[in-house]
């Protein structure tokens, strides 16, 4: 019953976020601040991870091609499919659940502990709109860094494959172009937008409704990471079945 009550509270929170909007002059600066912290601040770690994961996928694919009959261009093909379909949208979102989700939960949770949220509500401000709405808008830019992650991941696969002696550049590029379906990129961006909403709202929910002191802020951040990851994985299955099944 607690899970059902939490789902209901989450739905009510999402509804309240879009009520009684804050003045645009104030909201604009809040959105720009969140874009800088949530999107731009996450770019470095995603580029770093994407490059090396792309390289690992290329190397593992090449090492598992043991038959001379199997063409070498499959290294590029497997790297492209792995990065675009699954790694960039899903694995990066789970990483972001740890980085961005924990930040959102701890920042809002700290405001709850220090009674700053109570002060906003006393002044007649819709605290949910003031705190959560800018994060939702900022996370709409999430597909842009996922697109960069796709590019860097494939580049990492090319570097590892070519300079590691596992594939020639021509074979790798041929594999990248083999049976390319533009809808796969669209599918990835649809998943990314859904995950972006989850990344902005579930950590906010755990931070906004937490109770206790500083110790509970840390527990709420851990809980939000776990549940955000669980929801992302479940939605990944559902969206894959709906869009590709």
């Amino acid at each position: 019953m607690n899970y059902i009550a939490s789902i209901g509270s989450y739905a009510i929170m999402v509804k309240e976020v879009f009520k009684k909007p804050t003045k645009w002059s104030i909201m604009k600066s809040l959105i720009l601040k969140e874009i800088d912290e949530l999107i731009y601040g996450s770019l470095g770690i995603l580029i770093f991870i994407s490059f090396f994961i792309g390289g690992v996928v290329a190397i593992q694919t090449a090492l598992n091609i043991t038959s001379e009959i199997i063409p070498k261009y499959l290294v590029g093909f497997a790297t492209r499919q792995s990065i675009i379909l699954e790694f960039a949208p899903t694995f990066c979102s789970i990483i972001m659940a740890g980085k961005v989700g924990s930040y959102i939960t701890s920042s809002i949770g700290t405001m709850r502990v220090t009674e700053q949220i109570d002060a906003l509500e006393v002044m007649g401000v819709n605290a949910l709109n003031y705190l959560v709405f800018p994060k939702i808008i900022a996370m709409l830019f999430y597909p842009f860094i996922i697109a960069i992650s796709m590019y860097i991941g494939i580049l990492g696969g090319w570097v590892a494959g070519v300079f590691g002696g596992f594939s020639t550049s021509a074979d790798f590029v041929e594999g990248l172009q083999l049976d390319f379906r533009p809808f796969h990129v669209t599918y990835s961006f649809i998943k990314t937008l859904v995950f972006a909403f989850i990344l902005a709202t579930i950590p906010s929910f755990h931070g906004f409704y937490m109770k206790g002191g500083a110790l509970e802020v840390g527990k709420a951040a851990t809980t939000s990471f776990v549940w955000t990851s669980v929801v992302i994985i479940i939605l990944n299955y559902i969206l894959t079945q709906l869009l590709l099944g």
Side-chain angles (χ1 to χ4, degrees), residues 2-80:
N2 288 334
Y3 293 136
I4 296 174
S6 296
I7 293 171
S9 298
Y10 171 76
I12 293 170
M13 184 205 78
V14 172
K15 178 183 173 183
E16 292 294 325
V17 165
F18 298 97
K19 287 185 176 181
K20 196 179 177 184
T22 307
K23 290 182 180 179
W24 173 246
S25 57
I26 299 172
M27 183 60 68
K28 181 173 66 174
S29 61
L30 292 173
I31 291 172
L32 293 175
K33 176 176 175 288
E34 297 296 348
I35 290 174
D36 179 60
E37 292 180 349
L38 303 182
I39 303 298
Y40 184 73
S42 304
L43 197 55
I45 185 65
L46 287 187
I47 287 175
F48 177 80
I49 293 173
S50 298
F51 183 84
F52 286 100
I53 290 293
V56 168
V57 170
I59 292 171
Q60 289 183 347
T61 303
L63 291 176
N64 281 282
I65 297 177
T66 56
S67 173
E68 294 295 332
I69 302 174
I70 302 175
K72 295 295 183 183
Y73 61 68
L74 282 181
V75 175
F77 177 80
T79 302
R80 184 199 74 201

Side-chain angles (χ1 to χ4, degrees), residues 51-52 54-56 58-59 154-167 172:
F51 183 84
F52 286 100
V56 168
I59 292 171
I154 292 172
L155 176 64
W158 178 83
V159 170
V162 173
F163 290 94
F166 299 102
S167 173
F172 192 90

Side-chain angles (χ1 to χ4, degrees), residues 19-201:
K19 287 185 176 181
K20 196 179 177 184
T22 307
K23 290 182 180 179
W24 173 246
S25 57
I26 299 172
M27 183 60 68
K28 181 173 66 174
S29 61
L30 292 173
I31 291 172
L32 293 175
K33 176 176 175 288
E34 297 296 348
I35 290 174
D36 179 60
E37 292 180 349
L38 303 182
I39 303 298
Y40 184 73
S42 304
L43 197 55
I45 185 65
L46 287 187
I47 287 175
F48 177 80
I49 293 173
S50 298
F51 183 84
F52 286 100
I53 290 293
V56 168
V57 170
I59 292 171
Q60 289 183 347
T61 303
L63 291 176
N64 281 282
I65 297 177
T66 56
S67 173
E68 294 295 332
I69 302 174
I70 302 175
K72 295 295 183 183
Y73 61 68
L74 282 181
V75 175
F77 177 80
T79 302
R80 184 199 74 201
Q81 293 296 92
S82 300
I83 295 295
I84 291 179
L85 289 176
E86 204 55 40
F87 167 74
T90 305
F91 189 64
C92 286
S93 295
I94 293 175
I95 294 170
M96 290 285 280
K99 183 185 183 301
V100 170
S102 297
Y103 163 76
I104 291 174
T105 302
S106 59
S107 61
I108 295 179
T110 301
M111 292 184 70
R112 171 64 74 185
V113 169
T114 55
E115 299 181 351
Q116 294 179 54
I117 294 176
D118 296 330
L120 287 172
E121 292 172 345
V122 166
M123 291 188 293
V125 176
N126 182 354
L128 281 169
N129 180 266
Y130 184 87
L131 295 173
V132 182
F133 185 75
K135 293 174 174 58
I136 295 175
I137 299 301
M139 289 303 291
L140 292 178
F141 292 88
Y142 184 47
F144 289 98
I145 60 175
I146 292 302
I148 295 172
S149 173
M150 291 178 184
Y151 172 77
I152 296 297
I154 292 172
L155 176 64
W158 178 83
V159 170
V162 173
F163 290 94
F166 299 102
S167 173
T168 65
S169 181
D171 285 339
F172 192 90
V173 172
E174 182 183 355
L176 290 180
Q177 297 172 339
L178 178 68
D179 194 27
F180 176 69
R181 299 180 185 178
F183 179 72
H184 286 171
V185 178
T186 305
Y187 154 77
S188 295
F189 285 148
I190 291 172
K191 286 205 304 184
T192 300
L193 282 172
V194 174
F195 296 162
F197 184 80
I198 295 301
L199 287 168
T201 53

